[in-house]
Amino acid sequence: MVKYFINKVIASYYLAIITMSLLSHLVFTEAVHAADGKLISTTGVTQVEGTGGSGIVPWATLSGYDSREQISANAFISRANVDDYELDIIGLSASFYDRVEVSLAQQKFTIDATGDKIEQDIIGAKVRLYGDVVYSPWPQISAGVQHKILKDSAVADALGANNSDRGTDVYLSLTKVHLGAVFGFNALWNTTFRYTNANQLGLLGFGGTNDNREIVLEASAAVLLSRHLAIGIDYREKPDNLDTSEDDWKNLFISYSPNKSISLTAAWLRLGSIAGVDNQDGIYLSLTGHF
């Protein structure tokens, strides 16, 4: 227990140092210039699997501010802390000519009671198929893929996952911003359809008692209170492949983008049951730097 506590303090210390270093660099260094092809805040932030979106849902928007003549890059760091678990995520993404996004994320899931960690790498790609989130009359539409590689499958094996070490999600997202739609404020909605058999994002393996892939629904709605500040909600339907139930995820988030170089997101999470432990509620924090 003492060793676990010390390791947790050290990990939190290094996470804070990395976060503050990135924040200081983005705020105080003139050398950082985000691409300028889109309106501020309309790209969304970085989602838990590394792609552009909200906290738990991918959007049709790409992760950067690049126009059709530009390339952009992003780095992010996030943490979710619920009653019995923690999830730390770091990653990078790049957008090319407002058409294609590629991303790489690493997740570290910690079980508080034992200190055990589960690690997963996610390689993602997204392509804009149609439209612009602001200017086209219909929603922007993008298709994406997330290939997930679970480094430690012991827990997934114990819970009965059929494919315990890797899997691939495919999704289609529709996103639209309506200017001045809510009492003069801009409003955003997103709907994502995901084809998956991942258990708890893949951290508990893939497939199980019910190994059939299924299409699940994910959605977001937000109001942009200013050019820099947005509040909203996310919903993510989850498959039930294991004997332990997997509840749908929900959150209430607030996002602040003081400029096009940085965005900060905080959310209240309601994740339900995870690995048989109910009522997993807590806080999500994320920092994204745009280059």
Side-chain angles (χ1 to χ4, degrees), residues 14-267:
Y14 281 114
L15 181 63
I17 291 295
I18 293 170
T19 303
M20 292 306 297
S21 297
L22 179 58
L23 178 60
S24 298
H25 181 65
L26 291 170
V27 172
F28 297 113
T29 302
E30 293 296 331
V32 175
H33 299 286
D36 57 3
K38 302 170 187 174
L39 297 178
I40 192 169
S41 300
T42 59
T43 63
V45 292
T46 307
Q47 181 252 2
V48 291
E49 288 145 313
T51 189
S54 58
I56 60 175
V57 176
W59 292 355
T61 54
L62 306 186
S63 58
Y65 284 101
D66 48 298
S67 70
R68 298 185 185 185
E69 295 79 34
Q70 295 175 315
I71 296 173
S72 67
N74 304 298
F76 78 96
I77 184 169
S78 305
R79 163 167 280 206
N81 195 330
V82 295
D83 292 327
D84 294 282
Y85 306 102
E86 297 172 8
L87 178 63
D88 294 308
I89 316 147
I90 58 173
L92 302 167
S93 66
S95 297
F96 301 87
Y97 312 114
D98 193 27
R99 178 60 65 180
V100 176
E101 172 198 296
V102 294
S103 60
L104 177 64
Q106 182 183 76
Q107 298 176 334
K108 293 185 178 181
F109 181 72
T110 302
I111 303 170
D112 287 346
T114 63
D116 292 337
K117 296 183 184 295
I118 301 171
E119 295 187 12
Q120 178 172 246
D121 292 337
I122 303 174
I123 302 167
K126 184 196 298 186
V127 59
R128 181 174 61 84
L129 301 176
Y130 166 83
D132 180 272
V133 69
V134 175
Y135 299 111
S136 62
W138 299 100
Q140 181 170 322
I141 302 173
S142 296
V145 61
Q146 295 171 342
H147 182 63
K148 303 178 178 183
I149 304 167
L150 191 60
K151 294 183 177 180
D152 183 354
S153 62
V155 175
D157 290 336
L159 292 174
N162 283 352
N163 303 295
S164 58
D165 61 349
R166 61 188 61 216
T168 302
D169 290 358
V170 179
Y171 63 89
L172 182 74
S173 295
L174 297 83
T175 309
K176 179 62 179 168
V177 171
H178 298 275
L179 300 178
V182 180
F183 301 106
F185 297 114
N186 299 337
L188 176 147
W189 62 266
N190 174 83
T191 301
T192 295
F193 301 95
R194 181 186 296 265
Y195 186 56
T196 182
N197 66 345
N199 307 316
Q200 301 294 358
L201 306 181
L203 292 164
L204 300 184
F206 306 87
T209 304
N210 171 20
D211 194 35
N212 293 327
R213 286 180 170 271
E214 58 183 288
I215 297 175
V216 294
L217 173 67
E218 304 172 10
S220 304
V223 175
L224 283 68
L225 299 177
S226 73
R227 294 174 61 242
H228 307 282
L229 184 67
I231 60 171
I233 57 173
D234 288 330
Y235 167 81
R236 180 163 178 163
E237 187 180 11
K238 308 295 287 303
D240 271 320
N241 295 314
L242 302 176
D243 292 335
T244 59
S245 64
E246 185 168 348
D247 293 333
D248 298 344
W249 285 6
K250 311 170 191 69
N251 74 22
L252 172 65
F253 68 83
I254 181 168
S255 179
Y256 177 58
S257 301
N259 52 54
K260 288 187 177 181
S261 291
I262 189 172
S263 60
L264 301 161
T265 302

